[in-house]
Short mmCIF file of all heavy atoms in Angstrom, two decimals:
data_model
loop_
_atom_site.label_atom_id
_atom_site.label_comp_id
_atom_site.label_asym_id
_atom_site.label_seq_id
_atom_site.Cartn_x
_atom_site.Cartn_y
_atom_site.Cartn_z
N ALA M 35 39.78 -20.51 -16.75
CA ALA M 35 41.16 -20.29 -16.28
C ALA M 35 42.03 -19.67 -17.37
O ALA M 35 42.97 -18.93 -17.07
CB ALA M 35 41.76 -21.61 -15.80
N ASN M 61 48.89 -18.86 -5.92
CA ASN M 61 49.18 -17.85 -6.95
C ASN M 61 48.16 -18.02 -8.08
O ASN M 61 48.25 -18.96 -8.87
CB ASN M 61 50.61 -18.03 -7.48
CG ASN M 61 50.95 -16.99 -8.54
OD1 ASN M 61 50.17 -16.11 -8.85
ND2 ASN M 61 52.15 -17.11 -9.10
N TRP M 62 47.21 -17.09 -8.17
CA TRP M 62 46.16 -17.24 -9.16
C TRP M 62 46.66 -16.99 -10.58
O TRP M 62 45.93 -17.20 -11.55
CB TRP M 62 44.98 -16.31 -8.85
CG TRP M 62 45.26 -14.84 -8.90
CD1 TRP M 62 45.54 -14.03 -7.85
CD2 TRP M 62 45.27 -14.00 -10.06
NE1 TRP M 62 45.74 -12.74 -8.27
CE2 TRP M 62 45.57 -12.70 -9.62
CE3 TRP M 62 45.07 -14.22 -11.43
CZ2 TRP M 62 45.67 -11.62 -10.51
CZ3 TRP M 62 45.16 -13.14 -12.29
CH2 TRP M 62 45.46 -11.86 -11.84
N ARG M 63 47.90 -16.56 -10.74
CA ARG M 63 48.42 -16.28 -12.07
C ARG M 63 48.92 -17.54 -12.79
O ARG M 63 49.20 -17.50 -13.98
CB ARG M 63 49.53 -15.24 -11.99
CG ARG M 63 49.04 -13.89 -11.46
CD ARG M 63 50.14 -12.85 -11.41
NE ARG M 63 49.68 -11.61 -10.80
CZ ARG M 63 48.98 -10.66 -11.42
NH1 ARG M 63 48.67 -10.83 -12.69
NH2 ARG M 63 48.59 -9.58 -10.78
N THR M 64 49.07 -18.64 -12.08
CA THR M 64 49.48 -19.89 -12.72
C THR M 64 48.25 -20.71 -13.09
O THR M 64 47.20 -20.56 -12.47
CB THR M 64 50.36 -20.73 -11.77
OG1 THR M 64 49.55 -21.18 -10.66
CG2 THR M 64 51.53 -19.90 -11.25
N PRO M 65 48.34 -21.58 -14.10
CA PRO M 65 47.19 -22.40 -14.48
C PRO M 65 46.63 -23.22 -13.31
O PRO M 65 45.42 -23.28 -13.11
CB PRO M 65 47.74 -23.30 -15.59
CG PRO M 65 48.88 -22.52 -16.17
CD PRO M 65 49.48 -21.77 -15.02
N GLU M 66 47.55 -23.83 -12.54
CA GLU M 66 47.11 -24.64 -11.40
C GLU M 66 46.48 -23.75 -10.32
O GLU M 66 45.46 -24.11 -9.71
CB GLU M 66 48.28 -25.41 -10.79
CG GLU M 66 48.93 -26.41 -11.74
CD GLU M 66 49.90 -25.74 -12.72
OE1 GLU M 66 50.19 -24.53 -12.54
OE2 GLU M 66 50.33 -26.42 -13.68
N GLY M 67 47.09 -22.57 -10.11
CA GLY M 67 46.55 -21.65 -9.11
C GLY M 67 45.18 -21.13 -9.49
O GLY M 67 44.32 -20.93 -8.63
N ARG M 68 44.96 -20.92 -10.78
CA ARG M 68 43.66 -20.42 -11.22
C ARG M 68 42.57 -21.47 -10.99
O ARG M 68 41.46 -21.12 -10.56
CB ARG M 68 43.72 -20.02 -12.69
CG ARG M 68 44.48 -18.73 -12.93
CD ARG M 68 44.43 -18.28 -14.38
NE ARG M 68 45.06 -16.97 -14.53
CZ ARG M 68 45.10 -16.28 -15.66
NH1 ARG M 68 44.56 -16.81 -16.77
NH2 ARG M 68 45.68 -15.09 -15.71
N MET M 69 42.86 -22.71 -11.29
CA MET M 69 41.86 -23.75 -11.06
C MET M 69 41.52 -23.84 -9.58
O MET M 69 40.36 -23.97 -9.18
CB MET M 69 42.39 -25.10 -11.57
CG MET M 69 42.48 -25.18 -13.09
SD MET M 69 40.86 -25.15 -13.90
CE MET M 69 40.24 -26.77 -13.45
#
Side-chain angles (χ1 to χ4, degrees):
N61 181 3
W62 63 263
R63 297 182 185 279
T64 67
E66 298 80 9
R68 287 185 174 184
M69 290 293 289

